[in-house]
Amino acid sequence: MSESASATSGRPERARSASEEKDVKKRGIFGRIALFFRQVIAELKKVVRPTRSELMTYFVVVLAFVLAIGVFVGLLDLGFGQLVLWVFG
């Protein structure tokens, strides 16, 4: 079962009519650029920003993950370095 864009956004999407399709094709380069920026602004108005506490939680989670991966990679580097010294040293 596939979901359409209207099912995920909660808004029904209307199909473009043939005249709207022709109107988009008739627009000049500046009209298409203006349409693009209008659509970008409309999408940015839909963005939900996290609260300060959510942002701090996300920051701590990312920081902890990065530190854990750094320690893991550091230990691997140390282990492989010792292995290479033992084999070739």
Side-chain angles (χ1 to χ4, degrees):
M1 177 191 295
S2 67
E3 292 184 19
S4 66
S6 63
T8 58
S9 67
R11 294 186 192 158
E13 297 285 329
R14 64 181 182 96
R16 285 187 175 171
S17 67
S19 63
E20 287 176 331
E21 287 290 334
K22 288 179 187 175
D23 186 41
V24 169
K25 289 181 182 177
K26 278 194 224 177
R27 291 180 195 258
I29 184 74
F30 295 112
R32 289 185 295 212
I33 292 171
L35 175 64
F36 171 75
F37 282 111
R38 280 195 302 272
Q39 290 174 345
V40 167
I41 291 169
E43 289 298 319
L44 285 175
K45 288 180 181 179
K46 298 177 190 177
V47 173
V48 178
R49 298 195 174 147
T51 63
R52 189 174 191 86
S53 63
E54 289 174 336
L55 190 63
M56 288 306 295
T57 302
Y58 299 153
F59 173 74
V60 169
V61 167
V62 168
L63 192 62
F65 182 76
V66 167
L67 287 172
I69 295 299
V71 168
F72 178 70
V73 170
L75 289 174
L76 282 176
D77 181 49
L78 183 65
F80 284 126
Q82 291 298 321
L83 181 66
V84 167
L85 284 176
W86 180 72
V87 170
F88 298 110

